[in-house]
């Protein structure tokens, strides 16, 4: 198996690459495409494996992608601009990378004869009013789902994986909070009642690998994650650091449409969503496409009911002891 990882020097890319190189016996080659030569050097040093290849390139460059994908079986599209405020301030860059870049990945995969593409998405792609970053991810999802109608029957299948905040990823609030405590500064949060979904990196990687095996084409896979208020989350980071009564400041929401509560599954989507049990530690939902290209019946997970919606203010809360265990595993 030959795999290309677009945006492979980010937090998810590094963890995904490490997992494949460690325990994927069919892996022949893993090609990382990204723009940052310094980060590529860091990953090359951390993962010295002859199956790993690094190519400088941009997901906006279709020709470069097509060349990089030559002979590949699987592509994971993890390249994106992700900060809500930065995307709002530079909207054309967000559109060109998150939407245009995903389109170029899909075009290149089709022309290169790739078999499967998994596009990573975000809970911010749901209920996107006023949130440019979320809108770009929603457009990337829609493009990826519809691409199956373009690619069929040439063999290319495309699916999406949508989840919440990855604990300890690059730029994570965990590191920001730890740095503030180390510097003697108060923790700054948007609002103590704001809620966010959380997933650990090994779970995100395992879910991506499962989705690559399970996809039929056009699905959006969504884990039913638990959530935590930002007040509880800040308290857990403070407790994990061994501090007590550390000051916390509410600074309001960032510009660009940052939401008080996130949503992983909308009421509009729930009508065509089914649930899979006993795959992950939490429920796992499959949003089936309106127009299926499947030709050999329905997948094995069909027929189980899904919730009407899954919003972070109504989802089960992460207990403090579980938050502390999760934080203890973040480097």
């Amino acid at each position: 198996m030959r795999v290309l990882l677009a945006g492979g020097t980010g937090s998810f890319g590094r963890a995904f690459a490490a997992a494949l190189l460690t325990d994927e016996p069919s892996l022949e080659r893993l090609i990382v495409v990204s723009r940052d030569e310094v980060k590529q050097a860091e990953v090359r040093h951390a993962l010295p494996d002859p199956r790993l290849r690094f190519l400088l390139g941009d997901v906006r460059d279709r020709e470069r992608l097509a060349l990089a994908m030559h002979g590949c079986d699987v592509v994971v599209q993890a390249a994106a601009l992700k900060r809500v405020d930065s995307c709002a301030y530079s909207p054309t860059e967000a559109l060109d990378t998150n939407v245009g870049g995903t389109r170029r990945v899909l075009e290149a995969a089709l022309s290169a004869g790739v078999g499967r593409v998994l596009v990573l998405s975000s809970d911010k792609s749901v209920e996107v009013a006023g949130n440019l970053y979320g809108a770009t991810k929603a457009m990337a999802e829609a493009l990826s789902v519809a691409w199956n109608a373009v690619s069929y029957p040439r063999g290319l299948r495309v699916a999406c994986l949508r989840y919440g905040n990855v604990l300890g990823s690059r730029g994570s609030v965990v590191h920001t909070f730890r740095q503030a405590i180390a510097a003697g500064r108060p923790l700054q949060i948007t609002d103590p009642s704001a809620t966010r979904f959380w997933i650990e990196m090994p779970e995100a990687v395992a879910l991506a690998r499962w989705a690559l095996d399970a996809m039929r084409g056009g699905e959006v896979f969504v884990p039913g994650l638990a959530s935590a208020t930002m007040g509880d989350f800040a308290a857990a980071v403070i407790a994990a650091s061994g501090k007590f009564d550390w000051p916390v400041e509410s600074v309001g929401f960032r510009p660009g449409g940052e939401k008080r509560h996130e949503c992983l599954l909308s009421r509009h989507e729930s009508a065509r969503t089914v649930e899979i049990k006993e795959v992950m530690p939490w429920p796992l939902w499959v949003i089936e496409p309106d127009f299926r290209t499947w030709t050999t019946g329905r997948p094995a997970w069909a027929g189980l009911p899904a919730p009407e919606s899954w919003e972070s203010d109504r989802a089960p809360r992460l207990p403090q002891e579980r938050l502390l265990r999760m934080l203890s595993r973040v480097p």
Side-chain angles (χ1 to χ4, degrees), residues 140-151:
E141 277 191 12
L143 180 64
S144 302
V145 169
W147 202 259
N148 290 275
V150 176
S151 63

Side-chain angles (χ1 to χ4, degrees), residues 63-221:
E63 291 184 4
R64 180 58 168 163
L65 288 170
L67 180 64
M69 290 179 192
H70 179 71
C72 286
D73 308 294
V74 172
V75 170
V76 177
Q77 157 57 342
L81 297 176
K82 300 173 183 177
R83 288 188 61 88
V84 170
D85 50 355
S86 298
C87 288
Y89 196 72
S90 301
T92 55
E93 295 300 304
L95 286 166
D96 287 348
T97 297
N98 295 355
V99 183
T102 299
R103 176 183 175 181
R104 300 293 180 261
V105 167
L106 298 175
E107 289 173 340
L110 183 61
S111 66
V114 172
R116 290 169 288 163
V117 176
L118 182 66
V119 177
L120 301 190
S121 189
S122 163
D123 52 2
K124 292 177 177 59
S125 68
V126 187
E127 308 290 355
V128 300
N131 185 311
L132 183 82
Y133 166 67
T136 64
K137 298 304 282 186
M139 292 173 69
E141 277 191 12
L143 180 64
S144 302
V145 169
W147 202 259
N148 290 275
V150 176
S151 63
Y152 182 82
R154 288 186 58 180
L156 176 61
R157 291 175 286 163
V158 185
C160 296
L161 173 59
R162 178 197 297 169
Y163 49 71
N165 296 337
V166 181
L167 197 68
S169 60
R170 185 163 53 94
S172 168
V173 70
V174 176
H175 299 134
T176 302
F177 284 175
R178 287 175 175 175
Q179 290 166 5
I181 292 172
R185 300 191 305 267
L187 304 192
Q188 294 185 334
I189 62 175
T190 53
D191 185 283
S193 65
T195 50
R196 295 293 182 266
F197 293 108
W198 294 98
I199 185 171
E200 294 187 77
M201 184 64 78
E203 294 175 331
V205 169
L207 187 53
R209 296 179 69 179
W210 180 89
L212 279 167
D213 289 335
M215 71 163 68
R216 300 289 296 277
E219 307 95 336
V220 179
F221 297 99

